[in-house]
């Protein structure tokens, strides 16, 4: 008489519990490794604005940079080694300016030009004025001046791929939104257009940094008015506020 085969039954799913526990532990591990201070605040804001615009029927693209279309990215510039050395400077800046970053007074990013420290104009200047609110921004400007001196001294000692004692170079760029410049808080029309206003704000930031000990010979200034916005569609007040800024850039060699 033939022996009846036993029913194998359904396969065991006990392994799924162990597998799920392993995935959860890995997720917790990588969450612990994540450092929120390394997040690009401006890019995160751009992503948020893009999502909001999409929900309203429109969208905003996130570009890699104005020069990337020409192939001029950090990795392709002749000064690739120096560009990579900006990493420690960025981490140091994030650490030093942590209080200013949390209060949205400063944002720190990087692009094809180098390391960009953006000062929110609304925190540093009154409307229509190039006079710094020195009483509320003195400590921030002091930290900026000390930061530039420290990284110059460090690089001068290391002489990393550069001529002896050659300092970093910085450019201070003034930017405005697209609204016509108006009178200041006292009702006085100081500047004819946003060009004069943006250049004057950059120059005044330089004057205070030099007064606080920065090396004047390491800097250059520029005023761009509203021609280089962070957000081209600046109908939202938050986007326009990001466009009103003063950028201090630690320049990569290819942008001296």
């Amino acid at each position: 008489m033939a022996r009846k085969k036993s029913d194998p039954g359904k396969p065991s799913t006990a392994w799924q519990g162990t597998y799920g526990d392993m995935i959860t532990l890995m997720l917790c591990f990588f969450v612990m490794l994540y450092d929120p201070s390394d997040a690009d605040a401006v890019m995160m804001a751009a992503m948020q604005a893009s999502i909001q615009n999409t929900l309203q029927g429109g969208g905003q693209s996130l570009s890699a940079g104005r020069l990337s279309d020409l192939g001029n990215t950090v990795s392709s510039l002749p000064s690739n080694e120096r560009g990579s050395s900006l990493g420690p400077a960025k981490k140091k800046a994030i650490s030093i300016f942590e209080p200013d970053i949390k209060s949205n007074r400063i944002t720190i990013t990087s692009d094809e030009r180098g390391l960009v420290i953006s000062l929110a104009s609304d925190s540093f200047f009154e409307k229509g004025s190039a006079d710094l609110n020195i009483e509320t921004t003195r400590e921030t400007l002091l930290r900026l001046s000390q930061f530039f001196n420290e990284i110059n001294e460090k690089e001068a000692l290391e002489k990393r791929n550069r001529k002896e004692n050659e300092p970093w170079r910085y450019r201070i760029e003034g930017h405005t939104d697209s609204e016509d410049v108006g009178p200041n808080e006292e009702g006085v029309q100081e500047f004819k257009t946003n060009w004069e206003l943006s250049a004057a704000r950059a120059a005044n930031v330089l004057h205070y940094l030099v007064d606080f000990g920065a090396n004047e010979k390491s800097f250059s200034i520029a005023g761009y008015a509203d021609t280089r916005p962070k957000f081209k569609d600046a109908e939202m007040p938050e986007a326009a506020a990001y466009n009103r800024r003063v950028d201090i850039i630690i320049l990569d060699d290819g942008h001296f």
Side-chain angles (χ1 to χ4, degrees), residues 66 111 113 116-119 121 170-176 198-199 201-203 205 220-225 228 245-249 251:
R66 291 184 296 277
D111 59 23
R113 298 168 297 170
V116 184
I117 301 174
S118 297
L119 314 182
S121 287
Y170 314 108
R171 183 168 67 233
I172 304 177
E173 298 179 352
H175 302 270
T176 68
S198 61
R201 286 180 170 178
V205 169
S220 60
I221 64 171
Y224 290 106
R228 298 189 179 184
R245 68 196 189 278
V246 173
D247 289 342
I248 307 177
I249 307 166
L251 294 168

Side-chain angles (χ1 to χ4, degrees), residues 62-211:
L62 305 179
S63 60
R66 291 184 296 277
L67 299 182
S68 61
D69 292 336
L70 302 176
N72 293 328
T73 60
V74 169
S75 60
S76 65
L77 289 171
S79 54
N80 184 34
E81 292 183 358
R82 181 170 183 183
S84 63
S85 69
L86 281 171
K90 182 176 182 180
K91 289 184 179 295
K92 184 177 182 65
I94 290 173
S95 175
I96 291 175
F97 301 112
E98 182 178 1
D100 304 291
I101 294 172
K102 288 182 176 179
S103 63
N104 294 322
R105 181 175 291 177
I106 282 180
T107 57
I108 297 175
T109 57
S110 57
D111 59 23
E112 65 275 0
R113 298 168 297 170
L115 179 64
V116 184
I117 301 174
S118 297
L119 314 182
S121 287
D122 294 352
S123 297
F124 286 80
F125 302 95
E126 300 293 342
K127 182 179 179 181
S129 173
D131 295 331
L132 278 155
N133 298 327
I134 192 61
E135 295 302 322
T136 58
T137 61
R138 180 186 301 274
E139 294 301 320
T140 301
L141 293 168
L142 275 168
R143 285 195 291 271
L144 282 166
S145 178
Q146 292 168 0
F147 169 71
F148 295 135
N149 285 338
E150 286 177 9
I151 63 174
N152 260 350
E153 290 173 2
K154 180 176 181 295
E155 290 298 314
L157 289 174
E158 294 181 357
K159 304 181 183 66
R160 184 178 300 167
N161 301 316
R162 296 181 291 133
K163 296 178 182 178
E164 186 173 353
N165 294 327
E166 179 188 351
W168 288 102
R169 300 291 298 179
Y170 314 108
R171 183 168 67 233
I172 304 177
E173 298 179 352
H175 302 270
T176 68
D177 59 24
S178 57
E179 292 186 10
D180 292 336
V181 63
N184 59 23
E185 295 294 326
E186 298 176 353
V188 179
Q189 183 84 22
E190 290 185 76
F191 303 99
K192 185 177 181 180
T193 68
N194 280 321
W195 288 102
E196 290 86 356
L197 175 60
S198 61
R201 286 180 170 178
N204 282 348
V205 169
L206 172 60
H207 293 326
Y208 274 102
L209 292 179
V210 172
D211 288 344

